[in-house]
Amino acid sequence: MKPAPFEYYAPATMDEALALLAEHGYEAKALAGGQSLIPMMNFRLVQPSVLVDLNNIGGLAHITPGADGSLRIGALTRHNQVETSAVAEQYAPLIHFAMQKIAYPAVRTRGTFGGSLAHADPSAELPALCTALNGRFRLVSGRGERWVSADEFFISLFTTALEPDELLAEAEIPAMPPRSGWSLMETARRPHDFALMGVAAVVALDEQGRCADARIVFLSAGEKPMSAQKAAEALRGQSPSAEAIRAAAESAAANEIDPADDIHGTAKFRRHLANVLCRRALEQAFQRAAGKK
Amino acid sequence: MQTFQRSVTVNGERFERTVEPRLLLSDFLRHELGLTGTHVGCEHGICGACSVLFDGQPARSCLMFAAQAHEHEIVTVEGLGTIENLHPVQQAFREAHGLQCGFCTPGILTTVTAFLERNPNPDENEIREAISGNLCRCTGYQHIVDAVKLAAKKLQAQE
């Protein structure tokens, strides 16, 4: 199908873009890489009357390490820029690793980091990963700017904390503490298709080898990135034994996700996947944290 | 209705056209320029049949508006080679039976051409990864993978 008619603006500066968004409010949509928005427009699932194309605005595509070990990624940074960035690999290895799992090569040349976050598809990788990594986002508008944590940013299905006059300008991924490890596990029927279930685990060990911190966030498991806080909390202070990991995965999959029942898989099957993937992800993350590959 | 004057370089030739905002790049290539080698399959980025090279990189022409292509360079399957003088990738697909109905082929040829420029000597896993976003309903991919391997050899022999 073809998109419904709309007015198109391609401002050259952020100020102009923000003024257009402020003027048109809920009628307007920001266009970044378009790899999620344009399919929805082609199917007329969304029919914005105004499109504000951000692609001509300079300075929005960057991968910038901070002195504190954090990494900032500009909203218009294409997935394949992150995928091929040695800086991203060094500062945010989980994000870098995940890039190859996002859609297809010819989609990653256009799709953007900020676009994926603002789109807030609960089956996408980046919202779950930024949540697992305690990321935060800089939101700008004509009224000023504010930082919002990933935990607070994702509200529901395709719904975020962004006001209609705001744009997500960049994401900041904090440095992982010493003795940290990470993992991303997914199951999809076809390579690079939306995952039936996926989970990111980020853990840190204390000097005695006990779990100092754990974050477990599922994708394709509910209306937004589903953070298994109770299961993660139960791991803290414990030695990451096979038993503790098994218990955490079982409790996360049973109590802290809300997977859909659809033609691609039943909720029961997805819970089964969540349990198995979470166990494997925690095992791998703790192994990495202990310095074993 | 809003319209824009757009200047786009396609296969080395500059075209000036007036476009409305909602015109997809895929439809611009096919209907405005008559370049029907770019095929339209799913129109939501899954099938890969409409893939072209946008500033040298593979991209879905159905997921971009013609208005966005202003002052950019596009290569379609028509820009790779001619009937008399096939591009090495095209020649390899012909020799290795890398197509049956041919609907998916233009998108695969553009994608593979860019892939082999970046990775001239790929292994089979890398090849399968590179064409993961191009659906073929005829071949079962085996001959496509063979064709990409043959294309890599032909391109290396050329250098």
Side-chain angles (χ1 to χ4, degrees), chain B residues 67-88:
Chain B
Q68 297 184 281
H70 189 53
E71 301 295 344
H72 287 279
E73 284 194 24
I74 291 157
V75 175
T76 68
V77 68
E78 290 93 341
L80 295 182
T82 62
I83 301 279
E84 297 74 35
N85 187 20
L86 293 177
H87 186 279

Side-chain angles (χ1 to χ4, degrees), chain A residues 15-288:
Chain A
D15 286 346
E16 286 171 72
L18 294 173
L20 283 161
L21 290 180
E23 181 187 343
H24 296 285
Y26 285 104
E27 295 295 305
K29 268 293 209 185
L31 173 63
Q35 304 300 290
S36 301
L37 178 59
I38 300 181
M40 294 177 92
M41 290 176 67
N42 285 354
F43 281 1
R44 301 204 179 187
L45 295 170
V46 289
Q47 301 188 19
S49 44
V50 174
L51 266 198
V52 180
D53 186 347
L54 309 179
N55 285 281
N56 294 346
I57 301 174
L60 286 177
H62 62 88
I63 300 170
T64 314
D68 58 354
S70 65
L71 187 70
R72 288 192 179 190
I73 301 178
L76 261 277
T77 311
R78 314 277 170 191
H79 297 318
N80 75 331
Q81 288 177 280
V82 181
E83 187 181 359
T84 54
S85 161
V87 172
E89 186 176 14
Q90 184 189 340
Y91 284 81
L94 172 53
I95 299 271
H96 179 264
F97 167 78
M99 283 297 152
Q100 53 174 300
K101 294 186 175 283
I102 297 175
Y104 312 102
V107 169
R108 297 200 289 270
T109 59
R110 293 291 298 169
T112 66
F113 202 86
S116 175
L117 296 172
H119 183 58
D121 186 327
S123 50
E125 284 86 359
L126 292 181
L129 296 184
C130 287
T131 304
L133 290 164
N134 275 317
R136 59 183 196 138
F137 311 130
R138 188 162 65 86
L139 313 186
V140 297
S141 71
R143 298 171 285 122
E145 67 167 54
R146 60 185 177 131
W147 284 93
V148 174
S149 70
D151 273 333
E152 289 168 358
F153 182 77
F154 299 106
I155 292 173
S156 181
L157 202 62
F158 305 119
T159 306
T160 68
L162 278 167
E163 296 293 336
D165 65 342
E166 276 182 317
L167 284 173
L168 189 157
E170 63 180 344
E172 184 186 67
I173 310 298
M176 287 191 286
R179 296 176 299 275
S180 283
W182 52 269
S183 179
L184 171 65
M185 295 278 172
E186 288 185 358
T187 296
R189 288 219 188 261
R190 292 159 294 272
H192 307 286
D193 206 345
F194 284 114
L196 281 172
M197 179 56 63
V199 61
V202 179
V203 303
L205 297 171
D206 65 17
E207 283 174 2
Q208 283 74 45
R210 289 180 307 237
C211 174
D213 192 21
R215 302 267 294 174
I216 302 166
V217 182
F218 291 88
L219 53 111
S220 292
E223 62 180 14
K224 60 178 184 173
M226 300 298 274
S227 191
Q229 289 171 0
K230 286 178 193 151
E233 186 56 47
L235 281 169
R236 277 187 204 115
Q238 282 203 60
S239 160
S241 62
E243 196 126 325
I245 288 173
R246 186 181 302 269
E250 274 175 11
S251 121
N255 306 317
E256 297 191 80
I257 60 172
D258 183 22
D261 226 345
D262 61 28
I263 56 165
H264 305 293
T266 60
K268 190 178 167 202
F269 177 53
R270 285 194 164 95
R271 273 193 207 279
H272 167 74
L273 290 176
N275 179 15
V276 174
L277 295 174
C278 184
R279 190 177 74 225
R280 290 180 189 165
L282 285 169
E283 281 167 0
Q284 186 178 49
F286 278 117
Q287 276 169 12
R288 282 199 169 114

Side-chain angles (χ1 to χ4, degrees), chain A residues 1-9 31 33 35 38-39 41-44 51 53 55 80 100 104-107 109-110 192, chain B residues 2 4 6 21-22 24 27 40 42-46 51 54 57-60 62-65 67-68 111 129-130 132-133:
Chain A
M1 275 174 68
K2 311 298 177 189
F6 56 86
E7 276 175 52
Y8 172 84
Y9 299 95
L31 173 63
Q35 304 300 290
I38 300 181
M41 290 176 67
N42 285 354
F43 281 1
R44 301 204 179 187
L51 266 198
D53 186 347
N55 285 281
N80 75 331
Q100 53 174 300
Y104 312 102
V107 169
T109 59
R110 293 291 298 169
H192 307 286
Chain B
Q2 241 185 344
F4 297 98
R6 287 297 187 244
R22 65 172 175 153
L24 296 170
D27 290 333
V40 172
C42 70
E43 291 193 319
H44 64 294
I46 302 300
S51 302
F54 187 83
Q57 291 193 310
R60 307 291 203 226
C62 76
L63 297 188
M64 214 182 291
F65 297 108
Q68 297 184 281
T111 303
E129 194 67 30
S132 61

Side-chain angles (χ1 to χ4, degrees), chain B residues 3-152:
Chain B
T3 57
F4 297 98
Q5 277 297 120
R6 287 297 187 244
S7 167
V8 188
T9 302
V10 182
N11 302 331
E13 194 180 337
R14 205 172 161 87
F15 293 94
E16 312 268 344
R17 290 290 187 280
T18 303
V19 301
E20 66 165 312
R22 65 172 175 153
L23 181 66
L24 296 170
L25 180 59
S26 46
D27 290 333
F28 173 80
L29 294 169
R30 291 176 57 84
H31 303 312
E32 296 292 322
L33 305 187
L35 295 171
T36 52
T38 296
H39 290 168
V40 172
C42 70
E43 291 193 319
H44 64 294
I46 302 300
C47 79
C50 71
S51 302
V52 298
L53 302 181
F54 187 83
D55 294 335
Q57 291 193 310
R60 307 291 203 226
S61 61
C62 76
L63 297 188
M64 214 182 291
F65 297 108
Q68 297 184 281
H70 189 53
E71 301 295 344
H72 287 279
E73 284 194 24
I74 291 157
V75 175
T76 68
V77 68
E78 290 93 341
L80 295 182
T82 62
I83 301 279
E84 297 74 35
N85 187 20
L86 293 177
H87 186 279
V89 176
Q90 291 171 312
Q91 185 63 36
F93 271 70
R94 180 183 182 170
E95 288 172 22
H97 305 284
L99 62 149
Q100 287 183 29
C101 87
F103 191 85
C104 66
T105 312
I108 293 183
L109 292 174
T110 48
T111 303
V112 166
T113 302
F115 167 64
L116 291 176
E117 274 171 24
R118 210 174 55 247
N119 186 351
N121 192 21
D123 63 28
E124 178 159 340
N125 279 340
E126 291 169 327
I127 292 171
R128 288 185 180 273
E129 194 67 30
I131 58 168
S132 61
N134 295 82
L135 296 184
C136 170
R137 304 284 81 160
C138 305
T139 63
Y141 302 98
Q142 190 51 53
H143 289 187
I144 295 177
V145 172
D146 292 345
V148 179
K149 288 180 185 165
L150 182 60

